[in-house]
Amino acid sequence: SAIEKLTWKDRLPGYFINVSSILFMFGLTFSAVFGVIVYRITVSALMAMSPDPETKSNVRVTVTATAVIINLVVILILDEIYGAVALWLTELEIPKTETNFEERLILKAFLLKFMNAYAPIFYVAFFKGRFAGRPGNYVYVFNDYRMEECAPGGCLIELCIQLSIIMLGKQLIQNNIFEIGIPKLKKLVRALKEKESAQTEKEEERPPQQWNLDYALAPFEGLTPEYMEMIIQFGFVSLFVASFPLAPLFALLNNVIEIRLDAKKFVTELRRPVAVRAKDIGIWYNILSGMGKFSVIINAFVISFTSDFIPRLVYQYMYSQTGTMHGFIDHTLSHFNVSNFKPGTAPHNSELGDITVCRYKDYREPPWSPDAYQFSKQYWCVLAARLAFVILFQNLVMFLSLVVAWVIPDIPKTIVEQLKREKKLLVDVFLQEEKDKFQLIQSLFAKDTNLQPSSHMLHPGQTIPIPGRYSTLPPCPTAGEAGGGTRARCRAASFSQFSRKAPSSPRNENENSRHTAV
């Protein structure tokens, strides 16, 4: 029967399910992050209303630590789910080749796990406190709970705490404990099953051989999980290294431990992998290159928007009277008239007394300005400086990376020189061999000319051929020279004439001459 090829109409349902499922998984990840946000808001409100003063003083630390642990648990659970979903979605596409299948599987798994691992960190770095509103016009969730804000010092410290806990917990639990614990549990289950089946077998059977024991090990599932661990770790190290400078050190310590754990796993827990030839690491190189460029942009935004680096520089060089940081805190605080609180939203505190104006951290116009509570000129100056820093930082780092890539060659200079030396030697050897062959052919033609009988007569108009000058074939004799009435067929020189060995007997010499001058 003829082979029917799949058309785009056959593949369209699979592609539609892929896109819709990936979007659904993204929505699931965002829902999990939003759920943790609601948890933080509600717990913060409940602890703030507690009569215990110690509980009130530890609200931020307690909420941050518990929320990060919940995020870590959700990330670990969703990682396993996303891995199975990515495999199922790739099988629906029916890729043509094994390489195409692996590339699509890796791309889907990376997108899902990337979003799952970094969504909580992106929220703290770029979104927390940006949409909380201002006094008198706060943003509320479910009309009861106010959106959370960053600490007075900014969200950089909280970002560092969240990144460190998620990174260390993910590497310790998922990369180390799961990799060793799950194969051992599977091995224990197989051993219990084999023990039950062995009791029913006969005792006189011989003990299992080594290949039977090797076959009982867990199958090798490829290097994709190992690569994925390193890619996610590379993201933790590179994307937010400005907020957590110790991330590369912890990654190095984790890799030193994981090398030994992986060695034990590959030797004692898994079957021997099947060797497959590959010219490079495939799509992983493109992912690493893309993450390296993306990390430059993310670190630029972290430095400019999450930290107070840019506002401090703007104040020091534009608004400070003395060129120092004296008065920076007062410059970042805006004024608010307590009479502008909406009914029912004013704080109930008897210690306020006769206070009519309070301060809050933002760049807004004072209540006595015509544009009360609108963004002030200082806000737009700081925003312009932040965006300018992002553009400058990104282009500078990209330029430096290109310079470094140009200065440091892909192949070291010593290896290039060695390759040139080897190529020169190879050319010399080839030329010497060709020269020896040419000299041998000339000597053989000269010897054949000397061995021809002197009684040969030239026909009118026939010239003496010059062997080795115009043709490498021997002269073709006439019928009279061949000793017969008909013209003998001209034969090419045999390989025996190119032999370097001297003829051992006159008979062999005559045979060689016949072969050459027939």
Side-chain angles (χ1 to χ4, degrees):
S1 61
I3 300 176
E4 296 182 1
K5 295 184 179 180
L6 296 177
T7 62
W8 66 272
K9 294 181 180 180
D10 300 325
R11 298 179 184 273
L12 186 60
Y15 291 146
F16 178 76
I17 295 175
N18 266 265
V19 174
S20 57
S21 299
I22 291 175
L23 293 178
F24 174 76
M25 295 299 167
F26 285 171
L28 181 62
T29 302
F30 295 147
S31 300
V33 174
F34 183 73
V36 176
I37 294 172
V38 173
Y39 164 80
R40 295 162 65 113
I41 294 172
T42 54
V43 173
S44 299
L46 293 175
M47 293 184 67
M49 291 185 293
S50 175
D52 188 6
E54 185 176 355
T55 304
K56 288 185 177 181
S57 61
N58 296 326
V59 170
R60 192 173 295 277
V61 177
T62 305
V63 171
T64 301
T66 54
V68 172
I69 293 174
I70 293 173
N71 273 325
L72 178 61
V73 174
V74 171
I75 288 172
L76 295 178
I77 294 173
L78 290 181
D79 257 356
E80 303 299 325
I81 297 174
Y82 288 165
V85 170
L87 179 61
W88 175 67
L89 292 177
T90 308
E91 291 175 350
L92 287 179
E93 293 184 4
I94 317 177
K96 295 180 180 180
T97 61
E98 184 70 22
T99 303
N100 198 3
F101 178 86
E102 288 186 359
E103 289 182 354
R104 296 188 182 191
L105 174 61
I106 290 168
L107 186 60
K108 290 181 183 63
F110 170 73
L111 289 176
L112 294 175
K113 294 189 177 185
F114 178 90
M115 190 63 64
N116 180 41
Y118 302 128
I121 303 173
F122 272 100
Y123 165 72
V124 175
F126 303 119
F127 298 101
K128 184 178 179 181
R130 309 288 176 185
F131 310 102
R134 60 172 179 81
N137 190 24
Y138 284 115
V139 178
Y140 289 88
V141 180
F142 305 129
N143 297 324
D144 292 324
Y145 301 102
R146 210 178 81 191
M147 282 293 293
E148 57 181 348
E149 298 181 71
C150 294
C155 287
L156 194 64
I157 299 300
E158 188 173 348
L159 175 63
C160 176
I161 295 173
Q162 179 142 356
L163 179 62
S164 60
I165 293 178
I166 291 179
M167 176 182 173
L168 297 179
K170 194 173 186 300
Q171 290 182 348
L172 180 64
I173 297 175
Q174 190 176 33
N175 298 359
N176 295 331
I177 296 179
F178 282 5
E179 283 191 2
I180 298 300
I182 292 179
K184 285 190 174 297
L185 289 176
K186 292 181 178 179
K187 187 177 181 181
L188 179 62
V189 172
R190 287 196 306 271
L192 293 176
K193 291 182 179 179
E194 291 176 359
K195 185 176 181 180
E196 294 177 358
S197 61
Q199 293 177 354
T200 60
E201 295 178 356
K202 297 181 180 179
E203 296 180 357
E204 54 266 14
E205 289 185 357
R206 63 178 183 176
Q209 299 297 319
Q210 183 62 41
W211 51 83
N212 300 117
L213 299 176
D214 292 341
Y215 183 76
L217 297 176
F220 177 70
E221 298 179 354
L223 292 175
T224 300
E226 305 294 333
Y227 272 114
M228 190 65 69
E229 292 173 10
M230 294 296 103
I231 294 295
I232 298 299
Q233 183 192 83
F234 177 72
F236 282 123
V237 171
S238 61
L239 291 178
F240 301 96
V241 69
S243 63
F244 186 39
L246 291 178
L249 176 62
F250 286 112
L252 175 63
L253 296 177
N254 172 80
N255 291 343
V256 170
I257 298 172
E258 191 171 355
I259 285 174
R260 305 313 309 162
L261 295 179
D262 282 345
K264 180 178 177 58
K265 180 182 70 173
F266 276 92
V267 172
T268 62
E269 306 293 339
L270 299 178
R271 298 177 191 170
R272 181 182 298 176
V274 178
V276 179
R277 187 185 297 273
K279 65 176 182 179
D280 53 19
I281 61 175
I283 196 175
W284 294 112
Y285 178 80
N286 298 329
I287 293 175
L288 281 171
S289 178
M291 288 191 67
K293 294 179 174 60
F294 188 56
S295 64
V296 176
I297 303 174
I298 294 302
N299 280 289
F301 275 98
V302 168
I303 295 172
S304 60
F305 283 89
T306 308
S307 68
D308 285 337
F309 177 71
I310 300 301
R312 288 174 180 272
L313 289 181
V314 171
Y315 174 77
Q316 183 175 358
Y317 292 105
M318 291 185 64
Y319 296 102
S320 177
Q321 300 295 332
T322 59
T324 61
M325 296 304 299
H326 181 72
F328 171 71
I329 301 297
D330 182 70
H331 177 74
T332 59
L333 298 178
S334 299
H335 297 80
F336 178 75
N337 192 341
V338 296
S339 62
N340 295 130
F341 273 118
K342 293 181 179 180
T345 61
H348 300 283
N349 196 336
S350 58
E351 297 179 359
L352 290 177
D354 297 329
I355 296 177
T356 58
V357 177
C358 63
R359 309 291 299 274
Y360 63 99
K361 187 176 181 181
D362 206 348
Y363 293 100
R364 292 182 181 270
E365 295 289 344
W368 54 82
S369 173
D371 299 326
Y373 305 123
Q374 299 296 320
F375 288 119
S376 62
K377 180 181 177 182
Q378 290 83 358
Y379 171 82
W380 298 111
C381 290
V382 172
L383 180 61
R386 284 173 167 171
L387 295 177
F389 175 81
V390 169
I391 297 173
L392 178 64
F393 182 84
Q394 174 189 352
N395 288 278
L396 179 62
V397 173
M398 292 295 183
F399 174 74
L400 292 178
S401 64
L402 292 176
V403 171
V404 171
W406 176 73
V407 171
I408 302 176
D410 296 336
I411 304 176
K413 187 177 180 181
T414 55
I415 297 180
V416 172
E417 293 178 353
Q418 187 175 358
L419 291 174
K420 290 182 179 179
R421 192 180 301 112
E422 290 180 356
K423 189 178 294 185
K424 182 178 180 299
L425 293 175
L426 188 62
V427 171
D428 292 342
V429 170
F430 177 75
L431 292 177
Q432 185 64 34
E433 287 183 355
E434 292 297 322
K435 184 178 179 182
D436 293 342
K437 288 180 183 179
F438 182 71
Q439 291 178 354
L440 176 62
I441 292 173
Q442 279 189 333
S443 63
L444 290 174
F445 275 119
K447 184 172 65 175
D448 291 341
T449 305
N450 294 331
L451 289 177
Q452 287 181 359
S454 59
S455 59
H456 286 176
M457 300 298 293
L458 294 176
H459 295 282
Q462 184 178 357
T463 58
I464 299 175
I466 302 176
R469 183 174 180 182
Y470 298 103
S471 175
T472 58
L473 295 177
C476 186
T478 60
E481 293 171 343
T486 59
R487 178 179 175 85
R489 187 179 56 167
C490 182
R491 296 175 57 192
S494 67
F495 287 101
S496 61
Q497 65 175 314
F498 298 104
S499 174
R500 294 176 183 267
K501 295 181 180 179
S504 59
S505 64
R507 180 183 176 184
N508 293 337
E509 183 178 353
N510 294 334
E511 290 178 357
N512 291 338
S513 62
R514 281 202 307 272
H515 275 295
T516 306
V518 170

